């Protein structure tokens, strides 16, 4: 009787092995899918960071060009006075001249309505 049981046992073991392989294959497919989605998300985040850095570089290049085109003999404070007289706000003057906002506000209070030009 034990000899007749052996082929059934072998078939049962082969079926169990096939089921284990099928389970492992499906698990591998799910893990690869998760890996692909995480990689895609990571690449999207990197692309956003690169785009932000490119915008920052462009903005800084523009600021540098604006400073190069302005009169090199003028100090940032003289430039700020001129900008204030032209009607720019304190925050605009501070960002364009590279001075603090409080310095720009002081210049506004001193020169905005100054009768001398």
């Amino acid at each position: 009787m034990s000899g007749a049981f052996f082929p059934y046992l072998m078939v049962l073991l082969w079926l169990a092995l096939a089921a284990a392989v099928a389970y492992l294959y499906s698990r591998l497919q799910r893990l690869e899918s998760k890996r692909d989605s995480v990689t895609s998300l990571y690449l999207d985040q990197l692309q956003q960071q690169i785009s932000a850095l490119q915008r920052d570089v462009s903005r800084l290049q523009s600021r540098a060009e604006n400073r190069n085109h302005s009169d090199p003999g003028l100090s940032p404070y003289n430039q700020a006075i001129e900008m204030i007289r032209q009607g720019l706000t304190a925050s605009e003057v501070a960002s364009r001249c590279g001075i603090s906002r409080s310095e720009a506000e002081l210049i506004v209070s001193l020169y905005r309505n100054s009768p001398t030009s």
Side-chain angles (χ1 to χ4, degrees):
M1 243 192 207
S2 64
F5 182 68
F6 183 73
Y8 295 113
L9 182 61
M10 289 303 293
V11 168
L12 186 60
L13 288 175
W14 276 106
L15 288 175
L17 181 61
V21 167
Y23 170 77
L24 291 175
Y25 181 76
S26 68
R27 181 78 175 133
L28 177 65
Q29 293 298 319
R30 282 183 277 164
L31 289 174
E32 286 177 346
S33 175
K34 284 182 182 179
R35 181 204 59 206
D36 291 345
S37 64
V38 168
T39 300
S40 177
L41 178 65
Y42 181 68
L43 290 175
D44 289 344
Q45 289 174 345
L46 286 177
Q47 183 60 44
Q48 289 173 359
Q49 289 175 349
I50 289 169
S51 296
L53 289 171
Q54 287 173 333
R55 284 190 303 272
D56 290 346
V57 166
S58 294
R59 191 179 73 246
L60 290 172
Q61 285 175 336
S62 175
R63 285 171 103 183
E65 288 173 5
N66 287 341
R67 285 188 182 166
N68 289 340
H69 293 313
S70 63
D71 185 0
L74 290 179
S75 73
Y77 300 107
N78 290 335
Q79 289 176 357
I81 292 168
E82 291 302 315
M83 289 179 186
I84 292 297
R85 287 182 176 155
Q86 293 171 7
L88 273 71
T89 65
S91 60
E92 290 173 321
V93 170
S95 67
R96 290 185 185 183
C97 294
I99 61 176
S100 71
R101 172 131 185 198
S102 59
E103 290 173 314
E105 288 171 353
L106 175 62
I107 294 171
V108 166
S109 67
L110 293 173
Y111 291 95
R112 172 60 53 98
N113 298 318
S114 173
T116 58
S117 293

